Amino acid sequence: MDLLNTLVDKGLRRELPTREEALAVLATSDDELLDVVAAAGKVRRQWFGRRVKLNYLVNLKSGLCPEDCSYCSQRLGSKAEILKYTWLKPDDASKAAAAGVAGGAKRVCLVASGRGPTDRDVDRVSETISAIKEQNEGVEVCACLGLLSDGQAERLRSAGADAYNHNLNTSEATYGDICTTHDFSDRVSTVQQAQAAGMSACSGLIAGMGETDADLVDVVFALRELDPDSVPVNFLIPFEGTPLAKEWNLTPQRALRILAMVRFVCPDIEVRLAGGREVHLRSMQPLALHLVNSLFLGDYLTSEGQAGKDDLAMIADAGFEVEGTDTTTLPEHRRG
């Protein structure tokens, strides 16, 4: 296909595709799917070889969130049956992180529910970061605490946070349909604060919430404009007790096309296979490794993931290798 040849050439040159080309990837047929995966795989291998970065999530604080994000089991008014608890102590969080590191994780992601941290919360997380780094040499720590206030990004960076995650989730045009307690610009601002403080920005999306192809392309282009180092791609898990409980819009083929589109738009950025991969990709997960270069190991915030040993076996069987702490994830031109 001329489209795929053009996209590969652009990806190898780090050139942004047009919106029309990105939309065309999403519109390809199932008969063309393997060609799409193979083309995007060339771009993935150019910048990341056959390496797969493993990330491990530690849920520091679960449930009872005042925000009304429709996709989230921890949202205001959620009836989802999830575990609810307040802040983990630093030692307990560090022990949880150590389990992920022992399984091969290179980055630990510290997540807390809520609109954003108080200054006391930042102190708590700072203690946790110190504890994790003292016990796990070379591990990266990413914080995901919601919307940041003035000065908090700098404090987290000083405490040793390497990265900060705050997803855009969906297009600006449809953001108000999934959340009314904050807006798209609040999320953009938090990502920019993290970058200004010297942290590596991690920001991604959720697919499968009833969005159009144009919405998907819009949010990925908005991410590319923000230029994060990592883009997690989540697939909606329709939790019972949330407004999106009946949104089952994805097939494995659709999920793969979305990942390929993200790779073409973000050729030299870490693309991470995140929540919902087991539910929506199912037996086609190994194909996704030709598109992404990063994934979460084990469980997510309020849902179970694939067993870590099965992830490691899948990576090896597909001919990929786990990225070690002695290897820098990003290509040389993106470092620093």
Side-chain angles (χ1 to χ4, degrees), residues 249-270:
N249 302 307
L250 297 170
T251 64
Q253 294 83 1
R254 168 78 168 166
L256 287 170
R257 281 191 284 270
I258 291 168
L259 291 170
M261 185 270 287
V262 175
R263 172 55 71 198
F264 286 128
V265 178
C266 305
D268 58 341
I269 292 173
E270 176 192 339

Side-chain angles (χ1 to χ4, degrees), residues 65-72 75-77 178-182 243:
C65 183
E67 303 300 285
D68 69 353
C69 305
S70 299
Y71 52 83
C72 186
R75 74 188 296 271
L76 179 69
I178 65 164
C179 181
T180 66
T181 47
H182 61 267

Side-chain angles (χ1 to χ4, degrees), residues 59-177:
N59 198 3
L60 297 179
K61 176 172 168 279
S62 182
L64 308 174
C65 183
E67 303 300 285
D68 69 353
C69 305
S70 299
Y71 52 83
C72 186
S73 60
Q74 305 182 76
R75 74 188 296 271
L76 179 69
S78 170
K79 295 180 175 58
E81 296 181 1
I82 62 168
L83 200 59
K84 300 180 178 69
Y85 54 85
T86 190
W87 291 93
L88 290 183
K89 293 180 180 178
D91 284 349
D92 292 333
S94 182
K95 288 176 184 175
V101 174
K106 181 176 179 177
R107 173 174 287 190
V108 172
C109 304
L110 303 176
V111 186
S113 62
R115 178 178 176 85
T118 65
D119 287 340
R120 185 180 177 192
D121 294 337
V122 172
D123 289 338
R124 285 193 185 100
V125 176
S126 296
E127 289 179 33
T128 299
I129 293 170
S130 296
I132 290 172
K133 293 219 161 188
E134 284 175 10
Q135 297 178 30
N136 301 280
E137 185 178 354
V139 70
E140 299 174 4
V141 175
C142 178
C144 178
L145 312 173
L147 301 172
L148 293 174
S149 302
D150 289 345
Q152 291 183 331
E154 288 78 10
R155 290 174 58 198
L156 288 167
R157 181 67 183 126
S158 296
D162 300 286
Y164 196 84
N165 166 262
H166 200 57
N167 295 330
L168 298 188
N169 290 328
T170 193
S171 69
E172 184 172 12
T174 59
Y175 197 85
D177 296 337

Side-chain angles (χ1 to χ4, degrees), residues 147-225:
L147 301 172
L148 293 174
S149 302
D150 289 345
Q152 291 183 331
E154 288 78 10
R155 290 174 58 198
L156 288 167
R157 181 67 183 126
S158 296
D162 300 286
Y164 196 84
N165 166 262
H166 200 57
N167 295 330
L168 298 188
N169 290 328
T170 193
S171 69
E172 184 172 12
T174 59
Y175 197 85
D177 296 337
I178 65 164
C179 181
T180 66
T181 47
H182 61 267
D183 60 31
F184 189 85
S185 65
D186 293 324
R187 289 186 168 265
V188 169
S189 175
T190 288
V191 175
Q192 291 172 334
Q193 287 180 60
Q195 290 171 316
M199 286 188 285
S200 174
C202 174
S203 187
L205 65 143
I206 304 173
M209 297 191 289
E211 70 282 335
T212 65
D213 284 3
D215 290 322
L216 285 169
V217 171
D218 282 349
V219 68
V220 177
F221 271 64
L223 287 165
R224 179 61 192 252
E225 187 173 345

